[in-house]
Structure formats: structure tokens, C-alpha cells
Amino acid sequence: MAYHDKKLAPEWNEAADMRDQDDGMDDDRTENRPFRRKAALIAEARRPAMVEPEAVATPAKAEPAPEPAKRQTLPMALPEPWLRLRQTSLGLRLPQKGRMPLVNLFRADPAAKAFDVMRTRLLQTLKAKGWTRIAISAPTEGCGATFTAVNLALSMARVPGSRTVLLDMNMRDPGIAAALDMPAKDDMRGLLRRETSYLDHLFRCGDTLALGLGAGPVRDASELLHSQVAGEVLDEIQEELKPDVILCDMPAVLAHDDLAAFVGSVDGVLLVADGTMTTSEHVRRCEQVLGVDVPLVGVVLNRGREAGQENYVV
């Protein structure tokens, strides 16, 4: 049997009332919670976000702009040694009394034609043998070795595209500078001792002729030619200048031992005989001095006489 009267069950009613109150409060919390949660979310969204320091991305330092690459220029190549020789002009003037005649001034002279023939034959021989260095000498002094060397070199220099080097190796009595009317500043001693570079001693006349002049006599000429250095200088000139022929004007064979000392550095010898004083005995003795191992390229007859006129026979 159930009682519904509050007076009959006070304790129960009081507990029920308390339960009802509690239920009301729970309902209020239930009804109000969604609204409070929404307000909290809105407030949280409006609050500035707190980011941990290590999470903040620091702006990367701007790398410096690369420096413009420096323009590298290659060193300028030097011209070949032949073109680096000092250039000058030949001192060719009309011959005067007592001066050596130069065939370049008289192209129609028989002597000029004879030197042209000699030039052609000599170049053909050198090419066939593979030779480059020729010593020009005479049995005795005064036969015309310097005259022959100078005019032969001038004749060779007229060949287009050729290269001829003329060296005054007659250090007893150098005469090429006077023959060409050109000043010689130094003697050959400095060159043959490597005290002076051939680039400073030699000079070029045009595109086809280079000259090595001597300013005066050298007392130890024979000793210089005996030394190995003299041959090495000639090797250097041949290797770097690349001439077609090197002509060396030398002292008389029977007067000095210069050619005998230097003969190992040349390929052959051109002997100049004087038609007025050279004998066959002189030529034979020259062959003995030079030895059988030294090729005698030829004998040039200078001052030959025929029909009262001077001629030059190769």
C-alpha cells in the first residue's frame, strides 16, 4: 500500500524534494553547459595564439650576392724568337774606293749571277744532306772569305720565305759590320760565353736575314771556339730561330786554329781560294788540317782572270 501524503512520510518527502532540487540543478547545468562551452571556444579563438619560441621560424640570413667573376685573361703569347729579334735596315750604299763591293747593288753584274748560282747549288746540297751550318773560310788571309760570306748571305736572303743567319766568327779581324756599313756594339765573346742572349746580340734585316756582328778582335778567340758552350749557342740559335742556313765567317785555316777548333759544330766547310795567290798545295794542306771527317762542300775561286775581266767561279 502506497502513501501519498507528505505528513505520513516526511523523511521520504524531504529526500524526494532534495532529489528534485538536485535534478533541477543538473538540468540547469545540462542546459547551460553548451552555451558556456561555446563562449569558451569563442574566447579561445580570439586569444592570440602562443607559439613556443623554438617553433618560431627565424628568417634565414640573406646570402651575399655572388661577386662577379673576374675576367681571366690568358697571357699574351710572345712572338716566335725570329720575330723578337731587333730589326734594322741594311746599310747598303754605293761602293766607294777601298770598300767591299756588294752584289745587291749591281744585280746585272756577273758576280751577282755567280753568287746566285752558288746560292742555288748550296741550298740544294744542304737540303739533300739535311745540313744547316756552313763555315766559310780560306787557306790564307786576304782571299775574300768575308766578301763571299756577305754576298752569299745577301743572295740567300732574296729567296722569299727563307731564313739566313750570318755570324761573324772571325774574331781575329771581324769585317761583316764594315762590309755592310753597320755599327756593331758588342763583340762575339759575350754571345759565345752566354753572357749575352742571342736575342740581344743578333738583329734582323727584313724577314729573311739575321746578323751577328763583332765589334772588334777577341784575344781568346780560339779558346772560345774550343769550349762546348760555343757549340751549344749555335744549337740554341738553330733550334729556336729555325733558319734554313747558318753561315759562319771564319779566319784563315792555315793562319789560325779557330776553324779546326770549331769544325765539330758545323756541317761543312766552303773554302774560298784566291786566283792570284792560292795554290793547290794550300788547298791540300787545308784538307789535312780539317781532317777527312769534315765535308768540304766546295771551293770558290775568287779573283779569277779571264779575258781581262774579273770573274767568280763556283
Side-chain angles (χ1 to χ4, degrees):
M1 181 175 182
Y3 294 96
H4 298 282
D5 190 353
K6 296 181 178 180
K7 293 180 178 180
L8 295 178
E11 297 179 2
W12 181 87
N13 291 339
E14 188 175 351
D17 290 340
M18 292 178 65
R19 190 183 303 115
D20 292 341
Q21 291 176 2
D22 293 340
D23 292 342
M25 291 177 64
D26 291 340
D27 292 342
D28 292 341
R29 285 195 298 267
T30 302
E31 291 176 1
N32 295 334
R33 186 179 293 125
F35 296 99
R36 288 199 302 271
R37 180 63 178 166
K38 184 175 181 181
L41 291 175
I42 293 173
E44 184 178 357
R46 291 178 178 177
R47 189 183 304 121
M50 299 296 292
V51 184
E52 295 182 359
E54 57 270 13
V56 177
T58 57
K61 293 183 178 180
E63 296 182 0
E67 296 182 1
K70 295 182 179 180
R71 186 177 180 182
Q72 296 182 352
T73 57
L74 296 175
M76 183 179 296
L78 291 175
E80 62 171 314
W82 180 268
L83 299 178
R84 288 159 57 190
L85 295 176
R86 295 173 298 168
Q87 190 166 4
T88 186
S89 57
L90 287 170
L92 299 179
R93 297 187 302 181
L94 292 176
Q96 301 174 1
K97 186 177 181 179
R99 292 182 58 85
M100 181 183 299
L102 300 178
V103 296
N104 275 32
L105 300 176
F106 305 96
R107 298 295 299 124
D109 191 274
K113 296 178 182 179
F115 276 109
D116 289 346
V117 172
M118 187 196 312
R119 167 198 67 190
T120 302
R121 291 182 180 178
L122 183 57
L123 290 176
Q124 290 173 348
T125 301
L126 297 180
K127 185 177 181 180
K129 300 288 186 178
W131 294 344
T132 305
R133 311 170 188 179
I134 299 298
I136 300 177
S137 184
T140 58
E141 296 178 354
C143 292
T146 300
F147 166 76
T148 302
V150 170
N151 283 292
L152 183 58
L154 293 176
S155 180
M156 287 182 170
R158 290 198 302 270
V159 178
S162 65
R163 291 182 179 181
T164 301
V165 176
L166 175 61
L167 301 176
D168 197 342
M169 305 292 281
N170 186 355
M171 291 179 282
R172 307 284 180 172
D173 184 20
I176 294 179
L180 295 173
D181 193 21
M182 301 180 69
K185 298 181 180 179
D186 302 312
D187 56 32
M188 295 291 290
R189 193 174 190 275
L191 175 64
L192 297 181
R193 288 173 57 90
R194 285 191 182 277
E195 296 174 354
T196 303
S197 169
Y198 76 89
L199 290 171
D200 297 326
H201 185 88
L202 273 63
F203 54 88
R204 184 164 51 92
C205 302
D207 297 328
T208 57
L209 179 62
L211 300 175
L213 305 180
V218 176
R219 290 181 298 176
D220 56 344
S222 178
E223 289 75 18
L224 287 174
L225 296 175
H226 268 290
S227 68
Q228 183 180 353
V229 179
E232 293 175 352
V233 170
L234 211 61
D235 292 339
E236 184 180 8
I237 292 174
Q238 178 178 337
E239 181 179 354
E240 298 193 8
L241 294 184
K242 297 178 174 57
D244 297 290
V245 59
I246 300 176
L247 300 178
C248 300
D249 182 24
M250 303 292 299
V253 177
L254 302 180
H256 307 283
D257 67 333
D258 296 29
L259 180 55
F262 193 64
V263 74
S265 299
V266 297
D267 298 317
V269 176
L270 183 65
L271 201 61
V272 180
D274 189 315
T276 62
M277 62 183 185
T278 303
T279 65
S280 58
E281 178 64 16
H282 287 149
V283 177
R284 187 185 64 81
R285 288 174 58 193
C286 288
E287 292 176 346
Q288 291 177 347
V289 171
L290 298 177
V292 294
D293 296 333
V294 180
L296 191 60
V297 179
V299 179
V300 179
L301 179 59
N302 187 27
R303 298 193 185 98
R305 296 287 178 175
E306 183 178 346
Q309 293 182 353
E310 229 176 17
N311 57 29
Y312 303 83
V313 182
V314 181

